[in-house]
Each structure stands twice: as C-alpha cells, then as structure tokens.
Amino acid sequence: WYRNWIDAAIGWRYDRHVYCGQGNYLNNKANSVIQLQYVYSRGADGSCNYSYYSTADENDDGVEEADFTWYPYVSSPTTGIFTSAVSTPAMPWRDPATATEGTLWGRVTDEQTGDPIDDATVQVGSLPPVKTDGNGYYVVTLIPASSVGTAYNVVASQASYGPGTGTGITVVAGDLSRWDTALGNPPSCADALITGFEGYTDGTQVLFRPPSYSGSTDTNLAASPNISQATTEVDAFSGIVSGKLSWQFVDTGLERWLRATTSNAANVPNPTIWLDRPVRVRLRLESPAGTPLLVGLGVRETGTTADVGEDGGTSGTIEWVGVTGRYNDAAPQGRRLPAVPGVWQTVYFDPANDPIFPHTGDGVLSSATNKGTIEHLAFSSTGGAGPFVVYVDQIEQVCEVPLGARMDIDRDGDVDADDTQLFEDCVSGPGVDAASQCDRLDFDTDGDVDQADFGVFQRCLTGADIPTDPDCAG
C-alpha cells in the first residue's frame, strides 16, 4: 500500500513537485531505506521522513525509538539517498520571470452579520468554479496570468444571497492575489413564464426542435413520428395552446433516450434561467400500455446576462437537473413520469435539492452570472418503444417548490407507500434535529421531522401511479 500511494501521488503531481514521506518510526532502519529508495526509483522530486525524533522501531515491537544513528545510516554512501547537499529545486510556477499562472484567494462573508458563508460558489472568468469552506475561504489556482497582472471578473454566489461581483480583479503570474466580498440579500424573486405556447398557430415550432434534430439521440429514434409543434388538439393546461412532442424509439432498450433540445429553435430558443431557482413544467404523457418515461432537465451553463426566457446562447457545458446517473453510460435516469392519458402533471426541477449529474459538464451547476439556459428535456425509456406523445405547457421559472411537490420523496411521480416508508426513515421526533438529508421533510420548519410533519404528508398521499398534487398541502 505504501508503493500504491507513492505511485498515486506521483501520478497526481501534474506540473508541480511532489516530495514523498514515510513513517520511519514504524520501521527498522533498513526497511525505511527501502521505502525511500522506492520513492526515488519512481521519479519523485524528493523525500522526507517522520519523525525526526522517533526515528525507528528497530526491534519491530511497535515501540518507536529515538535512535539518532538513523542520520549517519541514511546518509551513508551505501543507501545512495542523502549523500550530499543539494540546492533548492527550481519552481518556475513561482518565479514571475517564468510563471504563466497565478492564484486568487479570499473570503466570502454575510454583509449584514460579517459571518463567513459556507458553500458559496466563486468563479473567476470562465474557469471552473470553486466552493468556500466553513470559514468562508476559497482558493482558485492555475489562473492564466502575466507578470504584470491579468484582469478578471469574479463572481461569488450562494442561493440565499444576492451575488457579489468583482470587476477587473488582477491576478499576477507566480503570485497570490486576494479578493474578498460580502453578499447581501438576494434580489426580490417573482415567478417568470418562459412560454405557455399561447399566440402560436397549430404546427408552429416553439421551444423544442423536432425529436430527430439532436445528434446525441437521433440514432435512438425511428424515422417517424417526428413532431415538435404548437397544437390545440387537446385541452391545454392553461389557455388553448400547448406544445406537442411525438417520437418512437427504435426498440425497447433501456439505453434509449430523446434529447428534446431548444438549440436555436424557431421560437423561444435557448431560454435563459437562473441556475439556483426551480423550473416548473406541465407535462401530459400519452403512451401505449401505460408505459412511463424518465424525465430530466438539461441546463447549459452559458453565463448569459439575458433576462429569464430570453435567448441565452448555445455556448457552455451542460448539466442535468433531477438525474441520478446514466443507464449503460447512455440514458439519463431522471424522475419517473407516469403515463396517465388526459392528465396534466406538474414537474419541478429544483437545483437546490435535486441531484445534479454531468452531461458534458462536471456535475456542478454554476456560471459566472448564475444564469444559463434550458438546453433540453431528456426523456428516457423504461422499457417501451412507443410511439410516445408528450404535451408540454406553462414552462416557468419559479421562486420555490411548494410543499406538495416535495412529498414525492422517491421522485417517481406519485406519493404512495414507498414515500411513506422513506418519510418514516427520516422521523427524528419532537425537538430532535433532523438529519441533513431529511431537512426537506421538515414541512413546518421547526428543525425536526415529527408527527406534525407527517400530518402534512398524509394530506398529499395519492397512491401508486396517481400523479402528485403540488398544491395538496396548501
């Protein structure tokens, strides 16, 4: 295991130095030398040992010894290790004359209290974001910079606060720069309609491209049907017009999925959303033999400054919201959407509480402006080929998820006995702090999960395959 960790550390050093140590207080001197020799044979930049005082366990009896003969022993010519003095190795990343990158660090605090803010996101330019620790500190390394300094825009954000922005923050090659910020109250929130499909005539392409458009999933689909259009053929959730998607998978394989993309659609393309607020979608699934689908939301991290619903562009990586993984590295495993013909279902995608899974991104939903776009809805097979018809209506960005929508604990589209069991697993009792993973079941926000919360939960029970009522606890 010592050799395994040495190999791993050297593999992780990238273009920096690594100096590997070993616990000489655990070994006899000969074995410590064998370990040190392995360090150099693998190409480490240097070595050290612990401890300088308790230098050996020559008897291998578990009791370390202050055996100072260790020093002439380890520096003797026979070991080939510490036989001569060496100069400090060159570190070009720390020398302004040769460095090409700098480091930015600082602290994020609460503007009102001065307290540190844990788990805030800090993003320097378009570099990958980092998070603050429990004391509010962050560090961003490997920032491309010049010796005279390179200016960056830096954004710090956290869901409970308004963003903090630094313009023209200078990062110097080979050096450390500091930027602190204090976050204040978030801007007032109001629900925003992205599209309700009203005003579009039957057959008009709105929001989504035809199913076969995306190269990610076109080979999963039969040639027809291939429909994405506004329609008045069914009663809309609101108004008289809704959207219609229709397709068929080539077979019943669980790896089949559809990427219903908004990329440069004829109407309502690439709609902008805040990355820390829920998206609400009304869906109505008509499918043969009651076959459900899995549905997830693909969000592109464009860093746009456009208003919610406006075109936010097509540049940036994509994360899935409400997706726990991929089947055979293919179909995203989103929340279950029961097939209940004629019934509109309300689905929430909540970045604050739903799982985030990478599509082309890194599994962290963020951007420099805390904005991105709805890139697609992902519909995945549960074992049926279709044809499927999904009606879509009233796509909105909302400020919060209502209590009723949180009752579907296992995210399978209903509130039934399975959710009841998961609720019971979270019960802490009156006055007993709820486990962190159960916080969202503290419906009365008193810090515990108890009988009062269960009373709220009971009002929302629907039964298996009966869609959740988001307003049941209102």
Side-chain angles (χ1 to χ4, degrees), residues 5 81 86 100 102 115 131 147 158 173 186 200 202 206 226 232 256 293-294 296-297 303 347 438 447 458-459 473:
W5 276 110
I81 301 174
V86 295
T100 58
D115 293 336
K131 294 284 191 176
S147 60
Q158 210 265 6
Y200 295 102
D202 282 21
V206 183
N226 184 40
T232 56
R256 305 302 180 192
L293 291 168
L294 303 179
L297 179 69
V347 178
C438 300
Q458 280 185 305
R459 296 201 297 272

Side-chain angles (χ1 to χ4, degrees), residues 247-313:
W247 75 94
Q248 181 165 333
F249 293 124
V250 293
D251 56 36
T252 60
L254 295 177
E255 70 277 12
R256 305 302 180 192
W257 69 288
L258 164 66
R259 177 180 172 184
T261 182
T262 71
S263 178
N264 295 328
N267 296 284
V268 199
N270 321 304
T272 295
I273 57 171
W274 291 101
L275 298 184
D276 56 1
R277 297 180 186 173
V279 173
R280 179 167 62 196
V281 183
R282 271 67 180 223
L283 299 170
R284 173 175 162 177
L285 172 58
E286 320 275 335
S287 69
T291 305
L293 291 168
L294 303 179
V295 59
L297 179 69
V299 177
R300 189 182 290 278
E301 301 158 303
T302 61
T304 180
T305 58
D307 291 335
V308 171
E310 298 299 318
D311 188 342

Side-chain angles (χ1 to χ4, degrees), residues 115-135:
D115 293 336
I117 298 178
D118 184 16
D119 205 38
T121 298
V122 178
Q123 184 157 24
V124 177
S126 60
L127 296 175
V130 301
K131 294 284 191 176
T132 57
D133 65 12
N135 287 314

Side-chain angles (χ1 to χ4, degrees), residues 24 26-33 55-60 70:
N24 51 302
L26 295 170
N27 303 322
N28 62 55
K29 294 193 289 292
N31 281 342
S32 288
V33 166
T55 56
D57 179 10
E58 200 64 26
N59 301 323
D60 293 320
W70 161 251

